[in-house]
Amino acid sequence: MNRSPRPAASPALREPAALDAHIVVVDDDPRLRRLLQRYLTEQGFRVSIAASAQEARQVLGFMQPDALVLDITMPGENGLELTRDLRNEGLDFPILLLTARGEPEDRIIGLEAGADDYLGKPFEPRELLLRLKAHLRRFAPPPPTNNLRIVRLGELEFDPARSLLSGKDGTVHLTGGESALLAVLARHPNEVLSRLEIAQTLEMDEIGERAVDVQVTRLRRRIEPDPREPRFLQTVRGKGYVLKPGL
């Protein structure tokens, strides 16, 4: 990080998304771990730390955090490998990757692995805090409403009010990012949404519009009979994406 963390904000200024959320920080740099643990604790989070993917697995073995801050470059199993494994295991809390490599293509690789965000080192603690809060808001259950209709996608049904996708065999697991994207599209069926509109709605505009493309690719694997020939989540060249419900 560029400098020591700033003093804690007063409790009155803390956002509800930060209060009592449990964050796991995984990094092999002991100084950075201590700084992040102190700073995030001062901001109202509960924080656990781990020095490796192996230690992180031990922590995750007895609790599921609200978010994971994960360094990519670590001895042994790296952050990308751990991210892929966690997603394959069905764990869907936000994962924010930290790395000294900040090239756009590196970011896309991280998103493809299942991460929700990517922050290059060095970084400002305040930026990490803002991104964590944004993802916690995005993963939070939506407020109840009776104004949203069930969306039919072939043999699947999506309930936007509960962010629940189900089929003949029961609930279809979605990560928080996939569920948030489908909820946005389901609220505007048959309406073309630009990548920028989607990114801003999901508070992903800091990562870039290509992050939307990655999430769309992941979502198509869940809802399309053939993701290579999408029926429901279609690309409109030069404009964006449109969800077309149907049988």
Side-chain angles (χ1 to χ4, degrees), residues 11-241:
L13 298 178
R14 291 175 182 163
E15 297 181 21
L19 296 178
D20 207 36
H22 196 148
I23 311 300
V24 175
V25 176
V26 188
D27 198 299
D28 62 330
D29 182 342
R31 177 179 174 275
L32 182 58
R33 286 199 309 274
R34 289 193 298 269
L35 285 173
L36 289 181
Q37 183 180 37
R38 184 181 67 187
Y39 179 71
L40 294 175
T41 298
E42 289 172 346
Q43 302 304 314
F45 293 97
R46 290 177 293 129
V47 184
S48 298
I49 58 174
S52 66
Q54 181 179 4
E55 286 189 18
R57 289 185 182 279
Q58 293 173 353
V59 173
L60 297 174
F62 61 84
M63 55 83 68
Q64 178 165 320
D66 295 289
L68 182 67
V69 177
L70 175 61
D71 186 33
I72 287 183
T73 307
M74 295 185 294
E77 184 180 14
N78 64 39
L80 289 175
E81 293 167 337
L82 178 58
T83 297
R84 290 191 188 98
D85 281 353
L86 294 177
R87 292 311 192 208
N88 289 335
E89 293 168 12
L91 299 177
D92 61 356
F93 44 77
I95 298 178
L96 192 154
L97 295 177
L98 303 177
T99 181
R101 302 174 62 185
E103 296 300 320
E105 191 57 35
D106 295 323
R107 298 187 179 197
I108 296 304
I109 291 173
L111 295 171
E112 289 175 339
D116 298 281
D117 208 341
Y118 193 109
L119 192 57
K121 298 178 180 179
F123 58 87
E124 287 287 345
R126 178 66 174 168
E127 182 178 3
L128 173 64
L129 176 67
L130 293 175
R131 293 196 182 200
L132 277 174
K133 287 182 177 180
H135 288 295
L136 289 170
R137 287 194 299 269
R138 185 159 60 86
F139 275 65
T145 176
N146 296 320
N147 298 327
L148 300 175
R149 296 181 178 180
I150 300 295
V151 175
R152 187 71 181 269
L153 303 169
E155 296 183 350
L156 300 175
E157 290 185 347
F158 181 68
D159 183 350
R162 296 189 296 159
S163 293
L164 181 65
L165 181 67
S166 58
K168 59 182 181 180
D169 296 324
T171 301
V172 177
H173 175 77
L174 297 175
T175 67
E178 293 163 355
S179 178
L181 172 60
L182 184 54
V184 170
L185 294 167
R187 285 172 167 80
H188 303 274
N190 300 304
E191 179 181 338
V192 179
L193 299 179
S194 71
R195 290 172 174 82
L196 179 59
E197 288 175 318
I198 295 172
Q200 290 176 337
T201 302
L202 296 179
E203 300 186 70
M204 295 169 59
D205 42 317
E206 288 293 330
I207 318 175
E209 294 177 27
R210 278 200 64 191
V212 175
D213 297 332
V214 173
Q215 290 283 16
V216 165
T217 298
R218 288 164 51 179
L219 180 57
R220 280 174 172 159
R221 295 180 188 138
R222 309 287 191 184
I223 67 173
E224 298 286 356
D226 183 357
R228 296 169 298 180
E229 298 289 339
R231 290 170 48 198
F232 307 116
L233 180 44
Q234 298 184 9
T235 302
V236 180
R237 188 179 298 275
K239 294 185 177 180
Y241 295 104

